[in-house]
Amino acid sequence: MPRVLFKPAEIAVQVSPGTELLEAARQAKVPVDSPCGGKGSCGKCILRITQGDVDSDSLGLLSASAVENGYVLACKTRVGDTDVTVHVPAQVRETDGQFVDDMDDIFLENRELLPAEHSCEPLVEKHCLQVAPPTLDDGLSDMDRLARAIQHSASITDARTSLSFVSKVADAIRADSGKVTATLMRSKSGCEGVNIESGDTTRDHYGIAVDVGTTTIAVQLVNLAERKIMAIRTAYNDQLHCGLDIIGRINYSGKREGLTELRRRVLKTINELIRNACESVQVDPLNILNASVAGNTTMIHLLLGLKPEYIRLEPYTATILDAPLLRADEIGLTIYPDTRVFISPAVGSYVGGDITAGLLCTEIATGSSEVILYLDIGTNGELVVGNDEFLLTCACSAGPAFEGGGIGCGMRAAAGAIESVSIDQMTGISAYRTIGDIDPAGICGSGMISLIAGLFRSGWLDAAGKLTREKSSPAIEFKGRRAQFTIVDGHSSSNGEPLQISELDIENIIRAKAAIYSASSLLLQQVGLDFSDIGKVYIAGGFGRFLNLDDAITIGLLPDLSRDRFQFIGNASLRGAYMTLVSGRCRELVHDLAKRMTYVELNTSPDYMNQYVAAMFIPHTDSDRFPNVGKTANI
C-alpha cells in the first residue's frame, strides 16, 4: 500500500490506492480544516503535493496556477499507487481565540431563580452522617445502620444502591469512627446512593457546567458547597476540522467512522478543558459529582454518539430532544464515573438546549409580560420571541460568515484578526484595529460588519452591496464585472499578502444578516406584531459580545430600535448550564420553557423567502424600517 507522509508534522500513514487525502489525514490524526464536511464546496482543505502522484479534481475551486504548483483540495484528491509527500499549510485555526474566561461577568442571570446565597440544590448532594457502631445484639448489617443514619440526617427512607456503592460501605464506616459522607441523588423516582467516603468530605463537592457550541466549547468548574465558580476554560471545538457548521458535521458523520471521530473530538475538547480547569485550582476531577450540559441538538447528538443524519432530512427529526439523566462514564467525561449528567432539553432539530438554557438569563424565565426577542447569533441563528403568554422559536442558517468562514481573508476572532474598521470618506482607505494589536492576518465577523457599515456610510458601497464605480479609490480595483476592496496592503499584513474582500464576500455577509433579520420579522408577523412592539432584545453568543450595535443596525442585521432596548448577554448557554447545575428550580423551569415553545419551521413558511429577499439590501428594501440609519454620500 502507498505511504502518505504529512509534513511538517512528519507523520506517515499507509492507505489503500484510491483513498481520499482527507481520509488519509484523518487516519494519521493530522488536522486539516474541512468546513463543508468534505463535500468539496468550501475550498479550505488545501494541501500541497511535493512528491508522488495523485488523482485530483481540484481545478475550479483552485486556480490553474495553484494546481500547477502542486496545490490540491484534500477532499477532491485520491492517493495513487505511489508514495506521496504532502505539505500541510499553517491554518488560521491554530491561533488562539478571543476567549473571555471572566468569572465576574457570570451573575447576569436571574438571581431570583437561584437558591439563597451560599446554598445549592444540585442533582447530587453530599451528606455528612454519623453511623452507629455495630453491636453483638442489634442484628443490623452495615447497610441497615447506614440507612438509619441517612433517614435521620437527610430524611430519606428508601435509597437505592448499586453493588459498587455497597462494596465501599464496610471500610468507609470504620475508617473514622462511623463518620462518613454519603453522596445521594434525589429524583422523582426516589433517591439513589452514588458514593460513600469516610470522614467529612462535604467541602470537596464540585460540579461542571458545559456549553457545547458548534465553534467553541466552554466549561465552568463550580464549588457546589459554596455555589462558587472556581475556574472557566474555553477552547475551539476540535470538530472544526470536520466542518464549520452543523450541516458540515452531519455530512462528515456519514463518512466511514466519521461519527466516532466527531464524538472523540468533542470529548477530547471537553475533557482537556475539565483537566485544565481542575489543575488551575488543584481540584481532583474525581470530586466532580454533578454536571450540566447545554448545546444545540446536533452537538448533543454528536456528543452522545447518536446518528444526526435525519436532522437535516425532511421532516427534520432528531433522535432525542429531552435526554435522560446519564452517567459520566456512559458519555465519556473524565470525572467521577457515576456522576449524573443533566442535559438541557431541545425544542426541535435546530433549536436546542443551548437556547432553552439561555432563556433562563432573561425575563422570559420569570414571566414577563413585555415582548422579548432573544437572538443567538453564530454559525447558526436561533431566535425566540415571546412573553408570559406565548413563545415562538425558529432557527435559520446564517452560514459561517459571522465566524469568518466563506470570506476570502476571513478568520475566526483570534489574535491578528481585524475586528473593527473605519473608512475615509474622501479616499476610501481603511483604518483598522486587530485583536491583540498585532499585524493583521485576516478579518473576523465583527470586522466584516464594521467594514461593510463603514463603506456604506461613507458612500463607497451601495444598498445592493456593490462597490462604487462612480469614483475611484486606491483601495478599490475591478476584475471584470467584480470589484474587490483592499483592507491591508501586503507590506502591513502578517504574511506579506494583501488582505482583500470581494463583492462576493460582502454578499455572503448580506445573506447571513438577511437570514437573521427576516427570521425575526417572520416570528413577529406570526403573532401580529412588528419590531416596534419589542420591549427588549437579548443578544447571546460569543459573536454578539464583540458586535458594534450601530454597525449591526446599519447593515440591517438588527432592527432599528432605541439602543437601550438591546442587551448583550454573552454565553447565555453556559450561564444557563450553571443555573441548572446549582438550582433544582431551574432544572424544572428549563423543561417548562421547552414545553411552552412553539417551533416554526421556516422551510415550510411561504412568506419567509419574501422576507429574506426584502432583507438582501443594506439595510433593507423598506427604508422606513431603518429611519435612524444615516444617508450615505452620493455614489
Side-chain angles (χ1 to χ4, degrees):
M1 291 193 298
R3 176 176 177 267
V4 182
L5 174 64
F6 291 94
K7 288 180 170 287
E10 301 295 335
I11 297 175
V13 62
Q14 286 189 311
V15 297
S16 301
T19 301
E20 281 185 0
L21 270 182
L22 188 61
E23 170 63 17
R26 187 193 68 80
Q27 293 184 28
K29 294 183 172 56
V30 173
V32 174
D33 276 347
S34 179
C36 67
K39 291 295 183 181
S41 58
C42 68
K44 294 291 187 180
C45 58
I46 300 174
L47 305 175
R48 188 178 188 186
I49 307 300
T50 57
Q51 184 176 341
D53 296 323
V54 295
D55 180 17
S56 182
D57 184 26
S58 301
L59 194 60
L61 281 171
L62 296 183
S63 66
S65 61
V67 171
E68 288 174 4
N69 285 302
Y71 289 97
V72 299
L73 296 179
C75 68
K76 306 281 281 186
T77 304
R78 297 183 179 276
V79 177
D81 295 321
T82 63
D83 291 348
V84 179
T85 301
V86 182
H87 179 75
V88 182
Q91 303 286 326
V92 170
R93 57 174 167 72
E94 294 172 351
T95 63
D96 293 330
Q98 189 180 20
F99 302 129
V100 180
D101 296 335
D102 185 354
M103 288 185 285
D104 293 332
D105 191 35
I106 190 61
F107 288 106
L108 281 174
E109 73 273 333
N110 292 320
R111 287 183 176 271
E112 61 186 279
L113 294 179
L114 296 173
E117 195 74 21
H118 301 304
S119 67
C120 204
E121 302 165 352
L123 186 67
V124 174
E125 303 170 348
K126 275 192 165 187
H127 296 273
C128 184
L129 312 171
Q130 185 64 49
V131 180
T135 64
L136 288 173
D137 56 358
D138 65 12
L140 298 177
S141 68
D142 290 340
M143 281 298 299
D144 291 333
R145 289 178 290 108
L146 176 61
R148 289 186 175 184
I150 292 174
Q151 181 177 357
H152 175 74
S153 297
S155 301
I156 295 171
T157 58
D158 185 19
R160 301 186 305 275
T161 56
S162 63
L163 180 59
S164 62
F165 180 96
V166 175
S167 66
K168 301 175 184 178
V169 170
D171 288 338
I173 63 176
R174 289 170 175 81
D176 192 8
S177 303
K179 180 184 289 187
V180 297
T181 299
T183 303
L184 307 172
M185 183 185 75
R186 297 178 189 260
S187 67
K188 292 181 180 179
S189 60
C191 184
E192 180 178 347
V194 175
N195 192 26
I196 185 167
E197 306 162 276
S198 61
D200 183 357
T201 66
T202 53
R203 303 299 298 176
D204 296 325
H205 190 197
Y206 299 94
I208 52 167
V210 184
D211 166 50
V212 186
T214 308
T215 302
T216 59
I217 294 176
V219 169
Q220 289 177 358
L221 176 65
V222 181
N223 182 331
L224 295 175
E226 300 177 359
R227 211 187 79 189
K228 178 183 178 183
I229 299 166
M230 305 293 292
I232 303 176
R233 293 293 181 270
T234 309
Y236 284 125
N237 186 336
D238 197 52
Q239 292 177 339
L240 283 168
H241 303 301
C242 308
L244 276 184
D245 57 22
I246 59 175
I247 299 301
R249 309 277 171 87
I250 292 173
N251 290 338
Y252 196 90
S253 72
K255 293 178 175 289
R256 185 172 65 89
E257 297 185 3
L259 180 57
T260 299
E261 180 185 359
L262 287 164
R263 187 183 189 193
R264 176 183 60 79
R265 285 182 179 275
V266 69
L267 283 169
K268 172 190 173 190
T269 305
I270 294 172
N271 288 328
E272 285 180 351
L273 291 172
I274 292 172
R275 185 184 70 250
N276 292 339
C278 288
E279 288 178 351
S280 70
V281 289
Q282 297 181 326
V283 167
D284 186 345
L286 292 179
N287 284 326
I288 296 174
L289 294 157
N290 281 270
S292 180
V293 176
N296 69 53
T297 310
T298 298
M299 290 301 102
I300 295 301
H301 276 59
L302 297 178
L303 174 64
L304 301 180
L306 303 176
K307 189 175 183 179
E309 179 182 359
Y310 302 108
I311 289 175
R312 71 177 180 88
L313 300 176
E314 194 173 353
Y316 316 112
T317 305
T319 298
I320 192 169
L321 295 176
D322 191 357
L325 291 173
L326 299 171
R327 296 195 319 271
D329 59 350
E330 289 181 283
I331 296 175
L333 301 178
T334 53
I335 54 181
Y336 185 75
D338 277 341
T339 292
R340 296 315 196 267
V341 181
F342 175 85
I343 299 175
S344 290
V347 178
S349 292
Y350 294 103
V351 174
D354 52 341
I355 303 305
T356 55
L359 289 178
L360 293 173
C361 304
T362 74
E363 285 92 338
I364 288 176
T366 52
S368 172
S369 60
E370 186 176 51
V371 177
I372 289 170
L373 172 63
Y374 178 93
L375 299 173
D376 191 323
I377 303 174
T379 308
N380 307 289
E382 292 94 6
L383 306 85
V384 181
V385 167
N387 57 14
D388 56 356
E389 295 183 358
F390 72 95
L391 285 176
L392 290 183
T393 183
C394 72
C396 60
S397 178
F402 290 143
E403 306 286 352
I407 308 299
C409 62
M411 63 183 289
R412 293 188 286 274
I418 296 171
E419 61 177 341
S420 66
V421 183
S422 60
I423 304 295
D424 185 281
Q425 186 167 341
M426 298 301 296
T427 65
I429 296 174
S430 66
Y432 56 84
R433 185 177 71 246
T434 65
I435 297 172
D437 293 323
I438 61 176
D439 289 342
I443 187 167
C444 62
S446 61
M448 278 295 294
I449 290 173
S450 175
L451 172 63
I452 293 172
L455 287 169
F456 180 72
R457 281 192 292 254
S458 60
W460 294 98
L461 188 74
D462 67 17
K466 302 299 181 183
L467 292 161
T468 181
R469 271 76 170 164
E470 302 300 322
K471 55 183 179 179
S472 63
S473 166
I476 299 175
E477 60 180 304
F478 300 93
K479 293 185 176 181
R481 298 176 61 185
R482 295 281 188 178
Q484 64 183 23
F485 181 86
T486 300
I487 315 168
V488 183
D489 61 34
H491 298 293
S492 302
S493 70
S494 64
N495 61 4
E497 297 290 333
L499 300 181
Q500 299 172 317
I501 58 108
S502 67
E503 289 177 328
L504 183 59
D505 296 329
I506 294 171
E507 183 179 325
N508 285 335
I509 291 290
I510 292 176
R511 288 181 184 278
K513 75 91 181 176
I516 298 293
Y517 184 89
S518 56
S520 304
S521 181
L522 182 68
L523 280 188
L524 289 164
Q525 181 180 298
Q526 294 280 315
V527 287
L529 302 175
D530 59 32
F531 287 110
S532 64
D533 296 305
I534 293 175
K536 185 171 289 186
V537 180
Y538 284 101
I539 302 173
F543 171 73
R545 185 180 190 118
F546 306 103
L547 189 64
N548 181 284
L549 192 56
D550 288 330
D551 290 342
I553 292 173
T554 295
I555 72 166
L557 169 61
L558 299 176
D560 191 0
L561 302 174
S562 60
R563 305 313 188 247
D564 59 0
R565 296 195 200 183
F566 293 88
Q567 184 173 349
F568 296 97
I569 55 175
N571 192 341
S573 174
L574 182 63
R575 292 190 174 96
Y578 165 83
M579 295 171 75
T580 57
L581 179 72
V582 303
S583 169
R585 183 186 177 194
C586 287
R587 289 191 293 275
E588 293 178 359
L589 184 54
V590 79
H591 280 106
D592 291 340
L593 287 169
K595 292 175 183 177
R596 286 183 54 207
M597 293 165 72
T598 300
Y599 183 73
V600 177
E601 181 53 69
L602 297 182
N603 291 337
T604 61
S605 177
D607 196 42
Y608 176 63
M609 187 52 64
N610 294 332
Q611 296 267 10
Y612 177 74
V613 172
M616 280 290 291
F617 290 83
I618 304 173
H620 196 274
T621 54
D622 183 359
S623 59
D624 290 341
R625 290 174 175 247
F626 291 85
N628 297 308
V629 173
K631 301 296 183 181
T632 66
N634 292 326
I635 56 174

